[in-house]
Amino acid sequence: MDRYLVFGHPVRHSKSPFIHTLFARQTQQELEYGLAEPAVDEFAQALCTFFDQGGKGCNVTVPFKEQAFTLVDRLSPRAKRAGAVNTIKLTDDGVLLGDNTDGAGLVADLKSHGVTLADSRILLLGAGGAARGALAPLLAELPSELVIANRTHAKAQQLAAEFCDLGHVTAQTYEQLAGSFDLVINSTSASLQGELPPLAPALIHTDIAIYDMMYGASDTAFISWAKQHGARQTMDGLGMLVEQAAEAFTVWRGIRPGTKQVLRELKRNLGVI
Ligand code: ATR
């Protein structure tokens, strides 16, 4: 049977096996999907061994995405832009192809929530790997402006400079942010420490859409905060998780699984509904 897995550390709580098993059942594909948690300095070896032993493809998550970028034979254009690989496929001619489906997953999830990206004014919080992966797919939707704000301003400036060929993208400090945004995307890891990005409450209004790439059994700190300040449309990153997985499954199997039912089952599994 064709074998796939996700590499990460820690990865024990990954929902990827659950999601891909449901995709396989739905599309009647024969495959198995497991977990691998190599020591941080043993990822390269573990990846080699997996493909030597007949593995067909894998996902890569924290902290291995940047390393995977350097280990594959070939990169998709979107992986090259993202500077990170979250999906690897062994092609029929034996090439390890590195791809990145995170940004596509984010955009697909935003669209499934009815968020309009074309001509919108988007605020992206954070300038780490998650922000980098999101930029090209977001700019491809032709927003009127995309502003990046980051605690370390120089990193936001660097990202804006790197992506300015793809659209109107600028960097501003949190203090400089002004005017009305249609969508705020939180790509920071602040909530992992129970913190909030230092965003002025005045930027939140009833018609703004709020997206947090993090998720949990209850509202993330950022979503709770935005709701308190009047945001009516809030979304967490669970849908992005399912959508990036659907995109990876499509890369591997050439067949696109439906995501709605799988997202519902995942929510049930997590105790969210
Ligand atoms: P990832 O790959 O998940 O994006 P990362 O590359 O470590 O992770 O980036 C984390 C992002 O969250 C960074 O933009 C970081 O800001 P700095 O560049 O200033 O470090 C941001 N971040 C983390 N904790 C934060 C906090 N408490 N407030 C605001 N931003 C925070």
Side-chain angles (χ1 to χ4, degrees):
M1 200 185 301
D2 289 350
R3 285 198 305 124
Y4 296 84
L5 51 71
V6 55
F7 285 100
H9 197 120
V11 83
R12 230 156 297 164
H13 300 295
S14 169
K15 293 296 164 195
S16 291
F18 181 87
I19 295 169
H20 283 286
T21 301
L22 291 183
F23 284 163
R25 196 177 305 158
Q26 180 202 110
T27 57
Q28 296 176 330
Q29 298 280 299
E30 290 254 335
L31 59 87
E32 57 179 40
Y33 189 106
L35 297 169
E37 194 175 271
V40 170
D41 57 353
E42 285 170 9
F43 170 59
Q45 186 54 51
L47 189 70
C48 261
T49 305
F50 171 65
F51 283 108
D52 283 350
Q53 293 178 348
K56 293 284 184 197
C58 64
N59 285 128
V60 181
T61 187
V62 180
F64 299 130
K65 291 184 190 184
E66 283 79 17
Q67 208 183 329
F69 180 85
T70 68
L71 293 171
V72 294
D73 302 317
R74 213 164 62 208
L75 289 165
S76 70
R78 59 189 180 180
K80 213 175 276 177
R81 268 287 182 183
V85 159
N86 81 332
T87 301
I88 301 178
K89 173 187 178 160
L90 180 67
T91 65
D92 290 341
D93 42 2
V95 167
L96 281 190
L97 174 69
D99 198 358
N100 192 311
T101 66
D102 285 331
L106 169 67
V107 168
D109 193 36
L110 284 164
K111 287 184 175 173
S112 84
H113 281 97
V115 176
T116 305
L117 298 170
D119 288 323
S120 67
R121 190 162 182 253
I122 302 176
L123 172 58
L124 178 62
L125 307 179
R132 177 181 289 276
L135 273 167
L138 285 172
L139 290 168
E141 298 299 318
L142 305 179
S144 61
E145 186 182 11
L146 192 156
V147 177
I148 309 170
N150 191 47
R151 188 174 57 180
T152 311
H153 183 53
K155 278 164 68 180
Q157 287 176 306
Q158 159 79 31
L159 268 193
E162 222 173 288
F163 285 85
C164 67
D165 59 320
L166 297 184
H168 182 200
V169 50
T170 58
Q172 292 178 15
T173 64
Y174 279 100
E175 296 74 34
Q176 284 169 334
L177 296 172
S180 181
F181 289 97
D182 301 299
L183 167 66
V184 180
I185 300 169
N186 180 22
S187 81
T188 75
S189 50
S191 41
L192 292 179
Q193 299 101 46
E195 292 171 4
L196 286 167
L199 197 62
L203 290 166
I204 307 300
H205 54 86
T206 50
D207 296 327
I208 202 166
I210 298 288
Y211 197 98
D212 194 340
M213 288 193 194
M214 299 273 162
Y215 60 86
S218 52
D219 279 349
T220 66
F222 184 66
I223 286 183
S224 300
W225 175 86
K227 280 182 176 173
Q228 266 170 36
H229 293 286
R232 286 187 305 206
Q233 187 179 18
T234 58
M235 298 152 275
D236 72 13
L238 205 54
M240 175 178 172
L241 177 73
V242 175
E243 294 293 348
Q244 65 74 29
E247 188 76 16
F249 192 94
T250 309
V251 169
W252 293 326
R253 309 299 296 185
I255 178 168
R256 179 170 293 275
T259 50
K260 276 208 169 66
Q261 182 63 28
V262 172
L263 180 58
R264 207 168 306 128
E265 294 203 27
L266 182 60
K267 283 184 177 166
R268 210 170 290 137
N269 176 267
L270 286 168
V272 181
I273 52 172

